[in-house]
């Protein structure tokens, strides 16, 4: 079946629909752009001739793993008509919209100085970098294993290969020895890419990622990559700003594969939950060909369970979750202060936005002297507040936003604001939206407390702020007392809508120090699953070298079996239950254990599916790859069970943290004990009995770990997962927030029945004279993902005259979307002037499209369309 995807634009955060539903991060599409995949044996000449003159070819891909092309129609009004004609042609295997993906969200905590010189090479005898200690990477360096001979492709924003810690050159013999720029500096996702051979980074993300993998010791902080002797390939898919289409991502993956990469890593993605989209499908095919592909799990942990990201949700693709560093490193600019005229003391700060400090020296004024105030500065400042333009205003971080605190300070004349942290370390703030603020920064909790102590004693505290561009930068390592080694709260949760286990593994990604483009500070502390994925890729390289295997399945199974699951932490407290598999996968990578494991399991996880589709009896094989006989005792340890919905009547998954309970499954494991001689293999059978006492309407997701403890003191585990309740029975279409609005309403509130719209003449919507037309806007909200969505246009006689252009749409994530409709139908014709309703239909999870009962429907209020006469402008609604 030919698949056309959801061509939508996400509602603005202030919209009527999203005011009650926090749906976000859904990938956008490029209007009029499509990816077509041909049947393997088909000659595409006739297909390309069909669109000749009407479209430009974006990418012509002739590859063993993907034979097809992407193209851009010139006339957007005719695009859907032509697209549907192409989709119906013989030889077309599938067709998808070109979706756009942004550089993943990540937090920049602090950066170095672009003018600060880098000190000479400094080799350390021991690897003491905390992310390496957490994952056993240090043991490889002690053994002289550094990834030599392994080619790792990085698909990202490029790499600043001139950075002294990244080799200082590009090409054969360099650390960054191969790759390409697939887009050019000026590419923004919607314009034409201008490829070249130079993958220089101008954004920063890719340089940080690459330092984590292969950074050298030519740096002032003793940083070193986890696999510093690998060869890096840089495949730049982002310009200096903007996003990228999935056709370019497909091209990048295929090029990295053709260039002989042993591992491909990408910290890019967007909401999905379905492994069938074009990009994920191509990545899965590469894995099937023997090249491991690791993709960051996503940074949408706030969306709760069932928010898997593509292409991480692809079959056989290794999705990597993030855990927080055990320390909070910070690159702090140096300033000085005095209390009651004392000698100067130094302190560190992170410059924010704006940062026009320029050697500012002013006394400090604080909202109050309570260093435990959880809402410091969140309310309007007192009437007796002095003119704050004569002070640096000191405010504690917490509760409300930085912007709200700044607005309250600005109302009293503040121009310079310093926040002091309520957690370890420091981070960058952005209050550029507040008029009148010239400088912003953050200091540590300890520095803030010292200043408050002086003020409380009645002393004057004078702060001297240096220009952050020229001030000395110092690395400070603060203990992470809140979340050390626990899952990062931002890490996205699986599973997929078909209950595939996602993520597979976890690695340190929170508060990671690595390289950064020289122009942006040379070094930076960042947080995100983007930072976890490259460290995982580097450990894959180390194990490849140590074990001599590059088999993706073997490697993933080894890492999964030896990972360490951790307890759940919601960012403020630690629970007594293991974090669900849907959040952490198998757990934190233990790479040395993976490299030296004497047991190989035949799979990396087990999914028992939901109650309606349960697969209660499953098997896996255990092979003794060691030289001695070992007896293993088998058992299982449960993780927390996570409720998807807050109560039995709610249809939207609860935001993080989902309610967790201790109800656990019963597993009958046969045999309970087994002895394996060297090279021997045995099949283990697992019978799952789902947990009792749960509310199935709230869709609880249970999980845990099958354990194997050997007489040789080794231990292994296998994650499992299942759902109590029916995925097919959950509500997919949110009818309350699926309706008709109008394009002139920025909030996209529903229109009244009988609203009249005057549309441009057929095919003229993009002409300048109709720029101010008010269109009917179809608003659709999916509470859960749907494999197919339809939008039928119903006439006054109750008959469908066809579907709204761009429909049907396939493999859709949960979220809120909107379309402006100019009267065009999916077959390329236009609805006659008249009165209509639009019936929205969403296929249930595991639904059969041929069964009417498997569709959820919502019909809009009636509305009337008429068309302006050619040459005349009529804009009524």
């Amino acid at each position: 079946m030919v698949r056309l995807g959801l061509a939508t634009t996400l509602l603005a955060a202030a919209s009527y629909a999203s005011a009650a539903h926090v749906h976000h991060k859904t990938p956008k599409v490029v209007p009029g752009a499509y990816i077509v995949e041909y049947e393997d044996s088909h000659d595409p000449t006739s297909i390309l001739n069909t669109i000749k003159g009407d479209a430009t070819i974006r990418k012509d891909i002739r590859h063993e793993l993907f034979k097809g092309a992407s193209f851009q129609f010139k006339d957007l009004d005719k695009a859907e008509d032509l697209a549907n004609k192409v989709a119906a042609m013989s030889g077309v295997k599938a067709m998808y919209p070109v979706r756009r993906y942004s550089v993943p969200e990540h937090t920049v905590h602090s950066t170095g100085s672009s003018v600060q010189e880098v000190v000479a090479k400094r080799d350390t005898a021991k690897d003491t970098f905390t992310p390496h200690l957490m994952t056993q990477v240090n043991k490889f360096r002690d053994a002289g294993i550094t990834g030599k001979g392994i080619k790792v492709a990085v698909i990202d924003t490029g790499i600043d290969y001139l950075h002294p810690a990244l080799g200082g050159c590009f090409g054969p013999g360099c650390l960054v020895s191969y790759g390409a720029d697939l887009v050019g500096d000026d590419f923004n996702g919607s314009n034409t890419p201008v490829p070249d051979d130079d993958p220089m980074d101008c954004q920063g993300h890719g340089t940080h990622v690459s330092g984590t993998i292969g950074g050298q010791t030519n740096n002032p902080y003793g940083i070193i990559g986890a696999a510093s002797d690998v060869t890096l390939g840089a495949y730049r898919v982002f310009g200096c700003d903007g996003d990228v289409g999935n056709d370019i991502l497909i091209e990048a993956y295929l090029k990295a594969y053709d260039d002989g990469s042993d591992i491909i890593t990408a910290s890019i993605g967007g909401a999905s939950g379905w492994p069938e989209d074009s990009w994920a499908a191509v990545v899965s095919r590469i894995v099937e060909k023997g090249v491991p592909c690791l993709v960051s799990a996503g940074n949408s942990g706030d969306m709760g369970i069932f928010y898997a990201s593509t292409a991480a949700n692809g079959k056989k693709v290794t999705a990597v979750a993030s855990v927080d560093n055990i320390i909070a490193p910070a690159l702090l600019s140096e300033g000085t202060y005095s209390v009651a005229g004392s000698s100067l003391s130094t302190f560190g700060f992170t410059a924010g936005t704006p940062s026009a400090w320029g050697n500012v020296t002013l006394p400090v004024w604080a909202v109050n002297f309570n260093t435990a105030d959880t809402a410091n500065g969140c309310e309007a400042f007192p009437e007796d507040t002095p003119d704050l333009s004569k002070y640096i205003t000191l405010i504690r971080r917490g509760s409300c936003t930085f912007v709200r605190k700044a607005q309250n300070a600005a109302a009293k004349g503040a121009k310079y604001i310093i926040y002091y942290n309520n957690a370890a370390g420091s981070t960058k703030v952005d209050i550029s939206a507040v008029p009148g603020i010239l400088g912003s920064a953050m200091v540590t909790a300890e520095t803030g407390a010292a200043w408050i102590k002086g003020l409380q004693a009645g002393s004057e505290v004078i702060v001297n702020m240096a220009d952050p561009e020229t001030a000395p930068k110092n690395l400070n390592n603060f203990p992470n007392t809140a979340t050390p080694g626990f899952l990062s709260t931002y890490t996205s949760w699986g599973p997929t809508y078909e209950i595939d286990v996602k993520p597979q593994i976890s690695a340190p990604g929170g508060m990671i120090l690595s390289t950064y483009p020289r122009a942006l500070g040379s070094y930076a502390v960042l947080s995100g699953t983007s930072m976890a994925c490259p460290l995982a890729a580097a450990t894959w390289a180390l194990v490849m070298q140590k074990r001599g295997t590059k088999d993706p399945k073997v490697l993933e199974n080894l890492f999964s079996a030896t990972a360490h699951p951790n307890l759940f932490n919601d960012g403020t407290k630690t629970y007594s239950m293991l974090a669900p598999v849907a959040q952490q996968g198998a757990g934190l990578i233990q790479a040395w254990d993976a490299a030296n494991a004497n047991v190989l399991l035949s799979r990396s996880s087990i999914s028992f599916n939901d109650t309606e589709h349960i697969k209660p009896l499953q098997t896996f094989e255990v092979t003794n790859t060691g030289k001695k006989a070992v007896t293993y005792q088998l058992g299982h340890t449960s993780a927390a069970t996570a409720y998807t919905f807050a109560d039995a009547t709610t249809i939207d998954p609860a935001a993080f943290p989902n309610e967790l309970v201790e109800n656990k499954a019963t597993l009958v494991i046969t045999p309970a004990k087994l002895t394996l001689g060297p090279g021997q293999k045995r099949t283990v059978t697992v019978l799952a009995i789902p947990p009792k006492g749960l509310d199935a309407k709230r869709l609880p997701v249970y999980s845990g770990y099958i354990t194997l403890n050997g007489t040789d003191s080794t231990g292994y585990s296998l994650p499992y997962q299942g759902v109590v309740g029916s995925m097919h029975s959950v509500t997919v279409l949110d009818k309350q927030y699926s309706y008709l609005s109008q394009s002139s309403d920025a909030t996209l509130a529903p229109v009244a029945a009988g609203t009249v719209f005057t549309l441009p003449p057929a095919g003229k919507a993009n002409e300048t004279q109709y720029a101010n037309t008010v269109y009917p806007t179809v608003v659709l909200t999916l509470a859960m993902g749907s494999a197919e969505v339809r939008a039928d246009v119903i006439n006054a006689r109750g008959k469908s005259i066809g579907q709204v252009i761009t429909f049907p749409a396939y493999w859709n994530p949960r979220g809120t979307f909107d379309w402006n409709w100019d009267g065009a139908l999916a077959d390329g014709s236009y609805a006659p002037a008249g009165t209509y309703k639009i019936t929205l239909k969403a296929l249930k999870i595991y639904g059969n499209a041929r069964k009417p009962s498997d569709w959820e429907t919502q019909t809009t209020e009636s509305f009337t369309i008429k068309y302006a006469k050619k040459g005349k402008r009529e804009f009524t609604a």
Side-chain angles (χ1 to χ4, degrees), residues 30-51:
V30 179
Y34 295 88
I35 300 170
V36 61
E37 183 175 8
Y38 315 133
E39 297 289 353
D40 292 340
S41 60
H42 187 77
D43 182 353
T45 303
S46 60
I47 297 173
L48 296 176
N49 285 340
T50 299
I51 61 175

Side-chain angles (χ1 to χ4, degrees), residues 416-502:
Y416 299 99
I417 298 176
I418 294 179
Y419 299 91
Y420 63 103
N421 211 349
N422 60 355
S426 178
T427 194
K428 188 172 183 177
V429 302
D430 185 345
I431 53 174
S432 56
V434 182
I437 302 299
L438 302 178
S440 62
M442 180 176 284
V443 297
T444 66
E446 293 78 10
T447 297
W451 294 352
I452 290 293
K453 182 178 179 181
L455 294 174
Q456 191 171 19
S459 301
E460 184 177 53
V461 178
I462 302 292
V463 169
N464 309 296
M465 293 291 288
D467 183 344
E469 278 298 307
T470 58
K473 288 286 180 78
N474 297 302
L475 174 61
N476 296 261
N477 288 317
F478 301 96
N480 176 8
T481 58
T483 59
F486 293 104
L487 274 294
S488 306
T489 57
Y490 56 73
T491 199
S492 293
W493 290 48
T496 70
Y497 294 117
E498 296 164 340
I499 321 300
D500 294 330
V501 171
K502 293 290 172 181

Side-chain angles (χ1 to χ4, degrees), residues 790-805 807-808 821 824-827 829-832 835-841 859:
R790 302 175 64 87
D792 289 298
V793 180
I794 310 299
N795 63 20
R797 296 188 298 277
K799 301 294 184 180
S800 173
I801 64 169
Q803 291 198 67
V804 171
I805 193 168
F807 285 89
W821 186 49
L825 301 173
D827 64 1
S829 65
Y830 279 75
T835 298
Y836 298 97
K837 297 180 179 180
I838 293 176
T839 296
L840 298 168
K841 298 180 180 180
T859 301

Side-chain angles (χ1 to χ4, degrees), residues 323-328 397 421-425 478-489 511 566-575:
V323 303
D324 285 347
N325 198 343
I326 57 176
I327 63 169
R397 180 184 185 182
N421 211 349
N422 60 355
F478 301 96
N480 176 8
T481 58
T483 59
F486 293 104
L487 274 294
S488 306
T489 57
M511 299 176 288
N566 206 348
L567 300 174
F568 180 71
N569 182 295
D570 65 7
T572 60
K573 65 178 180 179
T574 302
Y575 293 59

Side-chain angles (χ1 to χ4, degrees), residues 121-155:
K121 182 173 181 178
R122 181 179 56 150
D123 289 310
T124 54
K126 292 286 185 180
D127 183 354
T128 59
F129 195 48
T130 51
H132 296 176
L133 300 180
M134 294 168 68
T135 54
Q136 301 181 328
V137 165
N138 60 302
K139 295 184 179 183
F140 290 88
R141 188 162 299 280
D142 292 344
I145 299 169
T146 52
K148 191 172 182 63
I150 307 299
K151 297 177 68 175
V152 182
V154 179
I155 298 175

